[in-house]
Amino acid sequence: MNIGTASDHSGLPMKTIRYYEEIGLIRPDRAINGYRDYCESDLHKLAFLHRARGLGFSIDECRQLLALYEDTSRASADVRELAEQKIVEIDKKMRELKQLRNALGYLVSHCHGDDRPDCPILDTLSGGRIVQ
């Protein structure tokens, strides 16, 4: 099948599919006319990648997951370790986002939001005084 059909079936944009091919995550056959020719296993890999990326796995992590998926002698412990590492990373990002939200919320709560020109948000962003 062509890339448009593969895109429709996988839910991935054609640009993403071309990128995945460029970096070696998938290797579709080529038809006699030189066009990409995707088979069922390519569609399966594309769906796999779509779901893995949706769970926050990086391209390199997806490469590792695909390698583990294709390795019939893999240990599930290796897959679990990757997933656990991802959870640790997500938890860290969540803590960082909460700190950012608290800092910005603090600034917003100290901004009068009226017609006066003084603004603690802009003062802080410009490196001026931080509202206490």
Side-chain angles (χ1 to χ4, degrees), residues 51-122:
R51 288 188 292 271
R53 295 288 288 152
L55 287 171
F57 288 102
S58 70
I59 293 293
D60 287 336
E61 291 165 336
C62 285
R63 190 179 308 279
Q64 290 175 304
L65 287 167
L66 266 177
L68 287 166
Y69 178 74
E70 293 172 342
D71 179 3
T72 56
S73 64
R74 71 182 170 266
S76 65
D78 295 334
V79 181
R80 182 184 173 121
E81 182 180 343
L82 274 174
E84 286 174 338
Q85 289 172 3
K86 182 52 61 183
I87 290 171
V88 168
E89 183 182 314
I90 290 168
D91 287 343
K92 180 182 176 195
K93 285 181 184 179
M94 288 174 61
R95 285 190 302 275
E96 291 170 352
L97 285 172
K98 186 174 182 180
Q99 290 173 344
L100 287 173
R101 198 253 180 254
N102 289 341
L104 187 56
Y106 179 82
L107 291 173
V108 167
S109 71
H110 286 81
C111 180
H112 298 288
D114 55 20
D115 293 333
R116 293 185 288 178
D118 60 313
C119 177
I121 299 169
L122 294 177

Side-chain angles (χ1 to χ4, degrees), residues 6-25:
S7 174
D8 291 342
H9 282 44
S10 68
L12 292 170
M14 288 187 287
K15 185 175 181 178
T16 300
I17 294 172
R18 285 187 195 100
Y19 175 68
Y20 287 169
E21 180 186 1
E22 182 182 313
I23 63 173
L25 285 176

